[in-house]
Amino acid sequence: MTNNPCTKFQDDDIYEVFECPEFSTFKYNFIEQYAQHNCVLADIDMVFREKFEGDAFLSTVESLTGSSLIRGAYKKAMCHIMFINYRNRHFNVPVHRESKLKSAWKYVRAVAQFAVYPLWIVYKIGIPSLHKKPKQTYQCGFRVSCCDWSFRNKCRSFDFLIDKNLLSKENVIFCIEEPISSEYRAAIDERGYDSVQIREILKNADISFLYREFLKKQFPAWLKLLIRSPLKPPYMLSLTLEILYKSLLWSKFFEDYHVGHYVVFNDDLPADIIRYIHADRSHTRTWFYIHSCSTNDFLTPPGMDDVLDTLYAFYATHHLVVWGRKMENYYRKHPHFIQCFDRFGCLFSEQVREARERPDTNTPRQKLLMKCHPKKIIGVFDTSFTETCPLGFEDMIRFVSGLLQLLEDFPDIGIIFKNKNSLKLLSEYVPQILPHYQKLQDHPRVYFTDADNTDPTECLAAADLVISAPFTSSSIEAIGAKIPALYYDASNRFPGCYYDRIPRFVAHNYAELKDFVNYWLIFCPPAEFEVYLNSYFKGELHEDFDAKAISRLREQLAS
């Protein structure tokens, strides 16, 4: 890593997390922080071989799951621990070791949880059934989790892939993998979709399944693991329990259901690999679609290798749906078990195109027009700015100040401001931004979405130009729908970044912002914009400009 020597591995790095409660992203160079992901990924295979080559505990888990891929789950869990320790040591951050008493309690608790696992499974099954359920068949299964998009969104709803033609409520099933809100569950039921709660699928399992999958197969392996459990760190025991449990869940799911395809996003947990192993064995094709292009490679300064992220390591899926070559190349740089990269373009650009073609009723555009009558509308998107993000509240204050000046310099524009986090939430963790956001909210030519649950798709569709904080995905989503867009790096945090190779795409100060807005709203002819898209975006950042990425994915899922 150029100008950034890697931290050297130490034995404690994979056994204990040395936490630093006072650690703040803003106190240290954020690129050097993020670059520790690269150091960890460069070391992980070597460390894993040295520490666990021939390890009987992991060999038992591998034998039970029937796949060597399961080792990727342990590597991913180790990556998280190593990253925190590498980062803290790289910056000589004072850390706190747990007391011996606390460490001992954590260790005893992990072993105890491991010991009572069979009783937990018996409790989850309850009274076993004498009869096996008839198998149900669906074309497609969709993962449901607590981190899905709000079901209130008109466009980016949990069922956005269903078109009532190729995919309909008759041939899809929603698979609830994690606890979700009662509102979310009600929305699934109200729309008439079939669903299954994966965590409850063992309830009243038939006796043949209980004998075959648990008593005959998993119980003997559990005994071997229990004997060796006192020699393993608590996080390995917790992960192993999760693998055992999820292995039973997915065994039962694929015994009760046949789905041709299984679709997920945000599939980042180490134990998620077990789902892929069972799906592959059941001839179900798994699909993981990337919903954002806001990755570390776009923050990487010139002269450095792309900064990676351990979160994206060891993905296991048959298909990873990406937007273009740049995104594919970035994910390929991480260790992975991905069989096929499908370059379909940004999915949500299709929704933006469709929203622009629909009648304009009760949309952000209509709400802005109730306040003013601008000649041009700019859609503006902020981003998260917390202790773990590249941008802080001071950066966003400059961002907002630039927007207010823009309103002064361009009296014929109106702004739709789509804030990522509500003002109520911001008041809890970064109240310093509130007076500045309030100025925007009170401006006569600004519609500030805040808690209206406004769909970002409609904010994009209303815009003649999109301005985003660096480097959230909104500007690329707009480009995919042939809407001019740019990033406003108000604090000049990212000079020489990847996007700087594209003319008039990143404004690093207000003078550039004013110049770029003037060009895109007034001077750029459509033919020149078409050339611009094909020259700088097509293929590399966005596969095509027909805005039909959802249709392409839907066709594959229906086949």
Side-chain angles (χ1 to χ4, degrees):
M1 184 59 57
T2 307
N3 299 322
N4 185 37
C6 281
T7 298
K8 297 299 182 183
F9 171 75
Q10 296 180 6
D11 282 345
D12 282 342
D13 285 336
I14 62 170
Y15 294 109
E16 183 178 1
V17 179
F18 302 109
E19 291 288 2
C20 176
E22 295 81 20
F23 188 88
S24 168
T25 297
F26 304 129
K27 291 181 181 178
Y28 306 96
N29 182 290
F30 73 92
I31 286 296
E32 287 192 32
Q33 293 175 52
Y34 290 6
Q36 297 309 307
H37 287 290
N38 293 50
C39 303
V40 169
L41 292 174
D43 287 350
I44 187 63
D45 283 334
M46 175 270 294
V47 171
F48 197 82
R49 282 195 304 270
E50 286 185 2
K51 299 299 177 182
F52 299 110
E53 187 72 38
D55 184 87
F57 187 92
L58 292 184
S59 295
T60 301
V61 177
E62 182 177 332
S63 177
L64 174 66
T65 59
S67 175
S68 60
L69 297 188
I70 200 63
R71 291 176 177 262
Y74 291 93
K75 290 181 181 180
K76 186 158 189 170
M78 286 170 57
C79 281
H80 173 70
I81 295 173
M82 289 171 64
F83 170 73
I84 295 174
N85 292 332
Y86 274 35
R87 181 198 65 189
N88 291 344
R89 197 159 60 251
H90 179 83
F91 292 104
N92 296 314
V93 177
V95 296
H96 303 291
R97 284 182 178 270
E98 291 181 338
S99 67
K100 291 184 178 180
L101 182 62
K102 186 175 181 180
S103 295
W105 165 245
K106 184 184 293 185
Y107 177 74
V108 170
R109 184 178 60 181
V111 173
Q113 288 174 340
F114 207 91
V116 301
Y117 171 71
L119 297 178
W120 166 250
I121 294 302
V122 170
Y123 167 76
K124 295 298 290 183
I125 292 175
I127 301 175
S129 171
L130 298 176
H131 305 289
K132 188 176 179 179
K133 291 182 180 179
K135 196 162 193 168
Q136 300 181 62
T137 298
Y138 293 90
Q139 180 65 26
C140 202
F142 294 116
R143 176 179 182 255
V144 173
S145 77
C146 56
C147 58
D148 291 348
W149 289 299
S150 170
F151 60 83
R152 297 184 184 90
N153 283 343
K154 282 193 277 184
C155 302
R156 299 191 191 187
S157 182
F158 65 90
D159 57 353
F160 75 93
L161 281 169
I162 295 176
D163 65 344
K164 301 180 182 179
N165 181 19
L166 295 176
L167 297 177
S168 65
K169 65 182 181 180
E170 286 77 25
N171 64 3
V172 303
I173 183 169
F174 286 87
C175 305
I176 305 171
E177 293 191 22
E178 301 167 356
I180 59 175
S181 68
S182 57
E183 290 180 294
Y184 193 174
R185 181 57 200 260
I188 296 173
D189 295 339
E190 286 168 4
R191 299 185 192 186
Y193 295 125
D194 289 347
S195 65
V196 55
Q197 295 197 60
I198 301 298
R199 290 173 179 258
E200 301 299 323
I201 203 167
L202 294 179
K203 188 174 182 179
N204 305 129
D206 58 278
I207 290 178
S208 63
F209 175 84
L210 179 61
Y211 172 74
R212 183 180 67 254
E213 294 295 332
F214 181 62
L215 294 177
K216 185 177 179 181
K217 183 178 179 181
Q218 199 172 93
F219 188 79
W222 167 81
L223 278 176
K224 293 178 182 179
L225 294 170
L226 179 63
I227 293 170
R228 298 182 175 95
S229 63
L231 304 176
K232 299 302 174 188
Y235 80 89
M236 287 191 68
L237 297 181
S238 298
L239 176 58
T240 303
L241 275 183
E242 189 177 1
I243 289 170
L244 293 177
Y245 180 48
K246 287 188 174 180
S247 185
L248 272 184
L249 295 179
W250 290 112
S251 292
K252 191 70 175 82
F253 174 81
F254 286 109
E255 180 174 289
D256 291 351
Y257 301 91
H258 172 74
V259 293
H261 304 272
Y262 196 88
V263 184
V264 305
F265 85 105
N266 278 356
D267 200 38
D268 300 322
L269 298 177
D272 288 335
I273 289 176
I274 196 66
R275 186 206 310 112
Y276 168 76
I277 292 172
H278 282 276
D280 186 63
R281 193 173 295 146
S282 301
H283 308 291
T284 295
R285 304 296 289 177
T286 55
W287 296 77
F288 182 169
Y289 63 87
I290 303 300
H291 73 284
S292 168
C293 66
S294 185
T295 46
N296 293 340
D297 48 334
F298 294 109
L299 307 174
T300 305
M304 290 183 69
D305 296 332
D306 280 344
V307 176
L308 306 180
D309 194 324
T310 53
L311 184 68
Y312 307 140
F314 303 105
Y315 277 165
T317 184
H318 295 97
H319 299 269
L320 189 75
V321 178
V322 295
W323 300 9
R325 287 191 302 269
K326 178 78 167 72
M327 184 178 285
E328 176 182 343
N329 292 337
Y330 181 68
Y331 283 97
R332 281 189 181 277
K333 292 177 181 179
H334 297 76
H336 64 83
F337 311 119
I338 300 167
Q339 291 193 15
C340 182
F341 288 81
D342 298 270
R343 296 198 299 262
F344 288 167
C346 171
L347 298 183
F348 309 115
S349 296
E350 180 167 348
Q351 294 182 327
V352 175
R353 173 184 59 78
E354 291 173 344
R356 287 168 78 89
E357 295 170 353
R358 285 196 296 268
D360 192 20
T361 56
N362 195 32
T363 63
R365 182 178 180 276
Q366 286 290 325
K367 292 174 182 178
L368 176 64
L369 293 178
M370 291 173 64
K371 296 183 67 175
C372 61
H373 297 281
K375 291 182 179 179
K376 297 287 185 178
I377 296 176
I378 299 178
V380 179
F381 293 76
D382 69 355
T383 189
S384 297
F385 43 99
T386 67
E387 291 290 307
T388 59
C389 299
L391 296 180
F393 73 88
E394 292 178 346
D395 300 303
M396 292 312 299
I397 288 174
R398 293 189 183 97
F399 182 82
V400 171
S401 296
L403 297 177
L404 291 169
Q405 186 60 50
L406 206 62
L407 287 160
E408 292 296 314
D409 292 341
F410 293 84
D412 292 332
I413 68 168
I415 285 178
I416 296 172
F417 189 89
K418 180 72 176 77
N419 51 317
K420 188 167 186 176
N421 297 301
S422 69
L423 294 181
K424 180 180 179 181
L425 182 62
L426 292 175
S427 68
E428 297 174 4
Y429 70 85
V430 60
Q432 303 95 319
I433 196 68
L434 293 182
H436 305 274
Y437 272 27
Q438 192 66 51
K439 290 179 183 178
L440 269 181
Q441 193 172 31
D442 293 342
H443 197 283
R445 285 185 284 121
V446 174
Y447 169 56
F448 194 99
T449 62
D450 194 30
D452 286 352
N453 295 308
T454 306
D455 198 312
T457 296
E458 293 185 324
C459 297
L460 290 167
D464 298 295
L465 171 67
V466 169
I467 299 175
S468 303
F471 288 110
T472 189
S473 302
S474 308
S475 286
I476 300 298
E477 294 173 15
I479 288 290
K482 294 187 175 183
I483 300 171
L486 59 90
Y487 288 107
Y488 180 31
D489 178 18
S491 302
N492 195 25
R493 292 288 298 274
F494 311 106
C497 66
Y498 171 87
Y499 284 129
D500 269 346
R501 69 192 67 188
I502 303 174
R504 299 185 179 91
F505 195 57
V506 183
H508 292 286
N509 53 58
Y510 180 74
E512 288 185 346
L513 177 66
K514 182 178 178 181
D515 178 53
F516 295 174
V517 168
N518 194 54
Y519 177 79
W520 290 122
L521 288 183
I522 299 172
F523 292 110
C524 181
E528 186 173 319
F529 182 57
E530 196 76 26
V531 172
Y532 174 81
L533 294 177
N534 291 328
S535 299
Y536 297 104
F537 295 91
K538 188 173 183 179
E540 181 73 1
L541 292 165
H542 208 288
E543 185 63 14
D544 211 331
F545 288 103
D546 58 358
K548 291 186 177 180
I550 291 177
S551 296
R552 281 189 279 275
L553 175 56
R554 193 180 285 134
E555 288 171 3
Q556 292 296 314
L557 297 177
S559 64

